[in-house]
Amino acid sequence: MKKRTLLSVLALLFSLGYIAHTIDVKELKEAISTADPRFLLLALGMAFLAILVSTLRWYIVLRKLQETSFRKTFTAILSGFYMMAFLPPSVGHVAKVKLVGGDYFKALSALAFGISLEVLIIAGISLLVFGATKWGIFLLGVLFLILFYDRGVYALLNRGIAVIRPLSPKLAERLGNYLERTYSGWRRSRRDPTTFTLSLLLSVLAVLLQVAGIIAVGRAFGLSVGLLDAFKAFVLSTLFASLSGIPSGIGANELGITLALGSSTKSSLVAFTYKFIYQYLWSLVGAVEFYRAVGGRS
C-alpha cells in the first residue's frame, strides 16, 4: 500500500471514529424525528443552485477559449461528483475536463482559473475568521502572485522544461506544448475584464451558497449556527478534505464541520446531512450523467 493511500485510510478511520464518539443514539433518533423538512428542502435547492453557479463560471471562461455548450459543461460538473467518489478531489477535478471536449488543456485552464478564484476567496475568509497569521498572509500572497503574476510562473515552468530538454527532447517538447496551451487559456481568462469579474462574483456566490447550506441544515435539526461558525465549518471541511486525499473527502469533510460547530450529536448529524445534500447525492446523479455521456460517445 502506498504511503499516501495509507495516510488517507488512517485519516478516514480517525475521522469516522472521532465522529462516532460524539454521537448519542437516543439524541440522534430524537433529532431525526423532529427535523424540519422545509430547511432540508431549502438546503437542497441551494445545493443545486451552487452546482449551476459552478457550471456557469466554468462555461463563461470556457466559451472564450473554444466552442462548447452549457449542457456539456453541466454534464462534466455532475460527472465530477461521481468521479470524486473514488478519486482524490484534485484528481476528480482533472478527470472531468475530458468530458467537455475540445482542447483538453484549454478546458483545464478554464476550470483551474475559476477554482483558483474560489480558493483565493476561501483563503481570505480563513484569515478573517481564524485570525491573520504570518503563514496565512504568506499563503494568500503566494495565491495572489500565481493569479496576477502568471507571466512569472509561466517563465519559471519554462525554465524547468529547459532543464529537461537535453535529457529528453521529445518529453520537453510535449510538456512545452501542454504548458503553452494551458497558459494561453489562463492568460486570456485573467486579462478579459468581463470574464474575470463574472468569475469572481460567481465564485463568491458559490461560497456563500455552501455556507448558507450549513446554516439551513443546522436549523432543520434545531441547531443554531451563526454565520461565523458556518464560515469556520466550511473552511475546515474544505481544508481537511484537501489534506486527507480521501475520495469525496468522506469523513474528513464531516470532521471539519463537527469540530467547527462543537462536537455533539447534532453537529455530527448536521455535518453528514450537509455533505449528503451538497455532495454525496450528486455523486449518484453524476454516475447517471457520466455513463450516459460515455455511452453516447461510444
Side-chain angles (χ1 to χ4, degrees):
M1 183 180 292
K2 295 182 179 179
K3 184 177 179 180
R4 178 63 177 174
T5 303
L6 177 60
L7 291 175
S8 296
V9 171
L10 291 176
L12 173 63
L13 294 176
F14 173 79
S15 300
L16 295 178
Y18 180 87
I19 293 172
H21 179 70
T22 67
I23 295 177
D24 178 271
V25 177
K26 183 178 179 181
E27 187 179 351
L28 178 65
K29 291 180 178 179
E30 182 180 353
I32 294 175
S33 64
T34 59
D36 190 334
R38 294 174 300 175
F39 286 104
L40 295 177
L41 287 174
L42 175 61
L44 180 61
M46 289 191 292
F48 181 66
L49 185 57
I51 294 173
L52 288 180
V53 168
S54 296
T55 304
L56 181 60
R57 182 181 63 193
W58 190 10
Y59 173 72
I60 286 174
V61 179
L62 191 57
R63 70 176 182 177
K64 294 287 185 179
L65 308 177
Q66 61 185 31
E67 290 186 8
T68 189
S69 68
F70 185 84
R71 172 62 188 172
K72 187 175 289 187
T73 310
F74 185 56
T75 295
I77 288 286
L78 287 176
S79 299
F81 283 96
Y82 166 64
M83 286 184 281
M84 283 188 284
F86 52 86
L87 295 172
S90 57
V91 180
H93 282 305
V94 173
K96 69 187 178 187
V97 177
K98 188 70 175 177
L99 294 175
V100 300
D103 189 300
Y104 177 86
F105 291 94
K106 287 184 178 180
L108 178 62
S109 69
L111 178 65
F113 180 73
I115 292 177
S116 297
L117 288 176
E118 189 167 327
V119 170
L120 189 65
I121 292 167
I122 294 172
I125 291 172
S126 300
L127 292 181
L128 292 176
V129 299
F130 293 106
T133 63
K134 291 182 179 180
W135 282 110
I137 295 173
F138 173 75
L139 176 60
L140 192 62
V142 170
L143 292 173
F144 264 106
L145 282 176
I146 293 173
L147 186 61
F148 295 103
Y149 191 56
D150 48 16
R151 185 69 186 179
V153 177
Y154 171 70
L156 182 63
L157 292 174
N158 257 328
R159 289 178 184 176
I161 293 174
V163 173
I164 299 174
R165 188 167 287 110
L167 302 174
S168 179
K170 289 185 178 180
L171 175 61
E173 182 181 0
R174 186 180 300 116
L175 291 176
N177 177 264
Y178 295 163
L179 176 60
E180 185 61 38
R181 286 151 63 190
T182 303
Y183 178 62
S184 65
W186 179 283
R187 183 180 63 239
R188 287 183 61 186
S189 303
R190 187 184 69 78
R191 295 183 180 180
D192 184 283
T194 303
T195 301
F196 181 85
T197 303
L198 287 175
S199 297
L200 182 62
L201 291 175
L202 289 171
S203 296
V204 172
L205 181 56
V207 170
L208 292 178
L209 285 169
Q210 293 173 82
V211 171
I214 297 175
I215 297 174
V217 175
R219 289 288 298 274
F221 295 110
L223 182 65
S224 179
V225 180
L227 183 60
L228 183 61
D229 287 336
F231 272 119
K232 288 181 178 179
F234 174 69
V235 170
L236 286 181
S237 173
T238 304
L239 179 62
F240 285 10
S242 300
L243 293 177
S244 70
I246 303 171
S248 287
I250 296 175
N253 275 312
E254 290 82 354
L255 178 62
I257 296 173
T258 300
L259 291 175
L261 301 184
S263 300
S264 67
T265 299
K266 284 190 176 182
S267 62
S268 296
L269 178 59
V270 168
F272 276 101
T273 305
Y274 168 78
K275 291 309 299 183
F276 175 79
I277 291 175
Y278 271 75
Q279 187 168 354
Y280 307 144
L281 172 64
W282 302 104
S283 297
L284 302 176
V285 178
V288 175
E289 284 293 305
F290 175 77
Y291 288 110
R292 185 195 63 79
V294 174
R297 290 182 180 183
S298 62

